[in-house]
Amino acid sequence: MTTILTSFLVFFAAGVSTEVEPVSVITSPVEAKRIADRVMQQPIYHRWELRQKRVESSGTLEETTWSKRAELLQNWLLDHTQWIGKVWEWIVDWWNSWFERPQKSGGSGSGGGFGSFLHWAGWLLVAVVVGSLLILLYRLWMTTRLEGKQAKVLSRRQIRDALQSGEALAMSSSDWLAEGEKWGNEQDRRLVFRALYLGLLSGLHQQGRIDFRRNRTNWVYVSRFRGSEDLRDEFASLTSLFDEVWYGGIESSEQNIDPVKAQVKRLLEAGPSHA
Amino acid sequence: MSDISDDEIRGVSEQLNELLDQLARVVTGQSRVLEEMVITLLARGHALLEGVPGTAKTLAVRALAASLSLQAKRIQFTPDLMPSDIVGTNVFNLAQNSFELLRGPIFTDLLLADEINRAPAKTQSALLEAMAERQVTIDGNQHPLSSAFAVFATQNPVEFEGTYPLPEAQQDRFLLKIRIHYPEKEAERAILLATHLGHPLDNLSDGRIHPIFKLDSLIRAQQFLVKIRVEEPVLDYALAVVRATREHESVQLGAGPRGSIHLLVASKARALVKGRDYVIPDDIVALVEPVLGHRITLKAEAEITGTTPAEVLQTILDKVDVPR
């Protein structure tokens, strides 16, 4: 270590003498260690260290073209990334000073109260940021996990947009039915009917029984339904019911939702159209 | 939900369907036309029937009047017809030494204005006040018309020789423009068979027609329309369609607010005919062409390329989302 340090000081004094304190200043081993620590933190030391290691391993300074390029790259990175360290240090200092402020003010009264508030607000902010990051990571993980099963996690905004537009294809049939279940628990019967019907349209479209387009009315779907007469009649009766509940503003009662769910399920389980 | 009971709705709807069945027995193969005529009456509007000769336009109006036990009069519009021939005039009675009103044929319940575009604009305009306000002014005096007053005007789209196109303001007064096409092959065959078996189709006094609605029943059915429910998204849908006519690239003059009102009222009448007390988007779609087709003026370049109002309206319907 001593050898390395000595040779470095010689090397360094020749090139960048302004960055090192004069040798005459060193008055004690402790002082020498302090200066050495400072030197070793500087990028030029790392460059020298790398060079030295190569000399020790090969015994020559004649490097290959590739090793030269690598050295240049390392040097460049060391030169140009030190600002990141400085910024980080600045952030850490600022952060520490922020939390130390209440202790420094030390007194009681409004200044101390405000400082304490800032202290707690700071921790709250940290908690919120960490919590958000965790949620984001969880959603990312869930999406990645479910993509394999050809499913997707819908955001609240996606669901809200789908509801506002009545765009049946904005969600899969199962998503609509799941939303319907949710509203069923919240006792909003009209929304349950709507979710069931939009889920039905989404499912029938996927099965090729109808071609969903936002500019088509429900009875156009009925008239162009691809399937047996029985299925068409069932679809027509569900359409009548949806019209009555949604456009007619009729509040459906508890007991007539289950048969509708069963009807929707039957239609969706009939499978894709072979037409 | 509206405060009409289900029984009331069912009762009126059954009567209306009975009326339509009866009319269909007389006017074969024109069920859509008959439905739109009934919608016109329910919505207290007027209709312009356009079709080639021999498609039972006049017969349909006569059959409708007979089915409703309403008084019906017919005016054959000709180039020399004068406004006073329609609304009437004050004539001097020598015996009583005073003027007395000689009422014109407009004082009736149903007025059949046959070939309305054969008369000049001055005479056509004699109907404006009557159609808009259900009254006529003769020599400064206003005379109310029947509460069931409705004009069913016919015009022939082919015979442009010697015809006067209706001004936009006049056309706008008509709730619906009902296009009458040739009947389907089977329907026309049925007409031929009936004629062959000696049933003169234009003779309504052979017991095929009996009054189904009386005037008070009709007025009550008309009052039901106020209670027909229209959800806001459905109303917005109708509005979006009408407003789109003003922004379409092929349209020079789109439908005005009266078009919006008429589309809504006609949709409510259709809902009632279908036995519902609420309007669905299908009602709007079904009536877009009859209500708005005659209210839009196409640009010259669109007309030259053969674009029709019906095509323009279809492209609009293809772009507007149905509320759901």
Side-chain angles (χ1 to χ4, degrees), chain B residues 118-135:
Chain B
R118 291 246 176 247
K122 181 180 72 174
T123 311
Q124 291 170 3
S125 299
L127 288 173
L128 275 176
E129 184 189 6
M131 290 168 72
E133 298 169 34
R134 287 191 160 75
Q135 65 169 26

Side-chain angles (χ1 to χ4, degrees), chain A residues 194 214-218 247, chain B residues 231 282 318 321-324:
Chain A
R194 188 175 182 226
R214 290 169 66 163
N215 60 343
R216 285 187 179 165
T217 64
N218 298 336
Y247 300 121
Chain B
E231 286 283 307
D282 295 81
D318 287 344
D321 290 349
V322 172
R324 190 175 282 116

Side-chain angles (χ1 to χ4, degrees), chain A residues 139-153:
Chain A
R139 292 196 68 83
L140 201 66
W141 175 70
M142 283 291 285
T143 308
T144 317
R145 194 171 69 92
L146 292 173
E147 264 173 4
K149 297 175 186 174
Q150 292 188 336
K152 58 179 179 179
V153 177

Side-chain angles (χ1 to χ4, degrees), chain A residues 73-86:
Chain A
L73 179 65
Q74 282 171 334
N75 291 344
W76 184 88
L77 283 173
L78 286 167
D79 285 344
H80 290 84
T81 53
Q82 58 183 330
W83 65 270
I84 297 175
K86 285 182 181 171

Side-chain angles (χ1 to χ4, degrees), chain B residues 243-253 297-303 307 312 315-316 319:
Chain B
R243 291 185 71 84
T245 65
R246 300 168 200 167
E247 292 154 11
H248 196 279
E249 56 190 7
S250 302
V251 176
Q252 186 177 3
L253 193 66
T297 308
L298 298 183
K299 285 180 181 167
E301 52 266 37
E303 283 187 346
T307 307
V312 168
T315 60
I316 288 170
K319 284 178 187 163

